[in-house]
Amino acid sequence: MDAKDLQKWQREKAKELFDYSHTLLEAAKKLSDHHMAEIEWGMKNALDSAKSAAKNDLAKLKDLQEEAAKEAAKRAAAYQKKVKSVLKDLGEGAADETEKHLEKVRSSLVSWLEDAENKLPAHADKLSKVVHEMSTTGQNMFKEGRRIVNQVAETAEKNIDDMVKKTSGSKKKGE
């Protein structure tokens, strides 16, 4: 790798790191916006509860607490979905970048082997085919692994949602 290629590679890496840091900053911003909304909601709820307690209006205080508990459950579910979305976007981006780099490595390896075929004696073509098949298989395994991980995550989320629905359904029946 000569100096120009090295500089080009370093510029590409710096740009990728900058883009990824920008992506992480955006994710942090989305989550912090939600946290601020939660803090504001919590302050409003605490203020309403304090006013009711100061007036000795226990019935209203009980109603406020029940309403706050229901609202907190809804907000927690919304937050869970938002976090999952942000993390999924980050994971997809990282997997895409990894796949891109694996393709570059595979392509470099194939180029090197094609160049080496001309210099190596007989049977070099067989070695080249083996390495090419191995790199293709590795790339396919990465894609399949990525598909399986996404499928498992979706199944786990569905199971959690089902469990939450069952739990909230049984609480309503018990009340």
Side-chain angles (χ1 to χ4, degrees):
M1 182 179 267
D2 64 2
K4 287 183 181 181
D5 288 341
L6 183 60
Q7 286 179 344
K8 181 182 175 189
W9 181 78
Q10 287 174 333
R11 280 193 301 272
E12 287 175 5
K13 291 295 157 213
K15 184 183 180 317
E16 285 179 23
L17 288 173
F18 179 77
D19 290 344
Y20 195 66
S21 68
H22 184 70
T23 302
L24 290 173
L25 183 63
E26 285 297 314
K29 183 178 178 229
K30 287 178 186 176
L31 295 177
S32 66
D33 288 345
H34 187 79
H35 285 169
M36 284 303 297
E38 285 299 306
I39 290 171
E40 290 171 358
W41 176 80
M43 289 171 49
K44 179 194 166 297
N45 186 43
L47 184 61
D48 290 344
S49 295
K51 286 178 184 177
S52 292
K55 293 178 183 177
N56 250 353
D57 190 354
L58 297 180
K60 186 174 180 181
L61 182 61
K62 183 179 176 185
D63 291 342
L64 281 172
Q65 288 175 340
E66 288 176 2
E67 186 62 34
K70 290 176 186 175
E71 183 67 22
K74 289 178 191 174
R75 295 175 78 84
Y79 179 69
Q80 178 187 11
K81 288 179 182 178
K82 181 173 280 213
V83 168
K84 181 187 177 272
S85 170
V86 168
L87 292 176
K88 185 176 181 180
D89 290 345
L90 286 174
E92 287 291 319
D96 289 342
E97 286 298 312
T98 302
E99 192 171 348
K100 182 178 78 172
H101 289 298
L102 286 175
E103 179 57 33
K104 283 183 183 178
V105 168
R106 184 182 160 288
S107 138
S108 295
L109 186 60
V110 168
S111 298
W112 175 81
L113 282 171
E114 287 172 355
D115 188 42
E117 278 180 358
N118 299 330
K119 298 174 185 172
L120 291 176
H123 303 298
D125 59 335
K126 291 179 182 176
L127 174 64
S128 174
K129 286 179 185 176
V130 168
V131 172
H132 181 71
E133 287 176 13
M134 286 175 58
S135 64
T136 302
T137 302
Q139 188 175 13
N140 291 338
M141 287 172 60
F142 177 80
K143 288 179 182 178
E144 183 64 16
R146 185 175 171 185
R147 184 192 66 75
I148 290 170
V149 165
N150 287 337
Q151 184 180 13
V152 167
E154 288 173 10
T155 302
E157 182 185 1
K158 183 181 178 290
N159 290 341
I160 289 171
D161 288 345
D162 290 346
M163 192 167 86
V164 167
K165 287 177 186 174
K166 287 178 186 176
T167 304
S168 64
S170 65
K171 284 183 182 176
K172 288 180 184 174
K173 290 177 185 176
E175 290 178 353

